Amino acid sequence: GSGTAAITAAATSEQNPVRQAYVSMTAVFWDTVVMCLLSGLVIVTNMILHPDSLACANEGSLVDVAFSYLPFGGNTFLSVTTLIGWSYMGQQAYGYLTGNKGFLYYKLAYLAMIFIGAILPLRFVWECADLVNAFMVIPSVGALFLLQKELRIT
């Protein structure tokens, strides 16, 4: 609900808006149903197989702890895909705000934030991420209020 699906949808080369809408509608399915289901299954399976592993886990580290028990590099997969996905989203937003100039500055800042995030306490990192996500929601909610007269509910 924060508006990131629109960022990925805008990157398409599809000329037919109906076909693009069909593809965009599946984003909710893949994100919510598939990825949340898989994460939930990993967490529940870890709780059953390794109940002691969650003794000092909080809500921010629950997925991280559960994925660390996967035999094929779960933490690495989780970290790399998250970093790539958010890097893309941030780069698209940065390009929009700067007129597609100075991407090197964004990439250097992103790399610095990865390092800083790795050495800071996890709870603080999550709080910062939540704050940044809140800033991302503000323009979306503002646009909804400005466009409310254009909406037609059938």
Side-chain angles (χ1 to χ4, degrees):
S2 62
T4 56
I7 294 172
T8 56
T12 186
S13 60
E14 177 62 53
Q15 297 298 313
N16 185 335
V18 174
R19 287 185 61 179
Q20 178 56 34
Y22 287 142
V23 172
S24 294
M25 288 187 307
T26 66
V28 175
F29 172 77
W30 289 108
D31 183 36
T32 306
V33 177
V34 175
M35 295 310 295
C36 289
L37 174 67
L38 289 176
S39 296
L41 288 174
V42 170
I43 291 169
V44 171
T45 303
N46 186 56
M47 291 172 131
I48 293 168
L49 297 176
H50 309 284
D52 295 338
S53 68
L54 302 173
C56 53
N58 60 28
E59 62 275 356
S61 63
L62 188 63
V63 174
D64 186 52
V65 169
F67 270 77
S68 70
Y69 281 88
L70 290 177
F72 50 86
N75 271 3
T76 303
F77 172 76
L78 187 65
S79 297
V80 169
T81 55
T82 300
L83 290 172
I84 290 171
W86 282 109
S87 173
Y88 176 78
M89 299 292 183
Q91 185 171 323
Q92 294 303 310
Y94 182 85
Y96 177 77
L97 293 173
T98 63
N100 293 322
K101 296 178 184 170
F103 281 116
L104 178 62
Y105 298 120
Y106 169 78
K107 291 176 182 178
L108 291 173
Y110 192 79
L111 289 173
M113 290 297 115
I114 291 171
F115 176 76
I116 292 169
I119 61 174
L120 290 174
L122 184 60
R123 186 168 190 85
F124 180 71
V125 172
W126 275 110
E127 289 172 0
C128 290
D130 287 343
L131 179 65
V132 171
N133 282 329
F135 283 130
M136 202 166 60
V137 169
I138 291 170
S140 297
V141 172
L144 287 175
F145 280 114
L146 292 173
L147 295 171
Q148 68 183 344
K149 292 180 182 177
E150 302 295 323
L151 297 175
R152 291 189 186 122
I153 300 174
T154 57

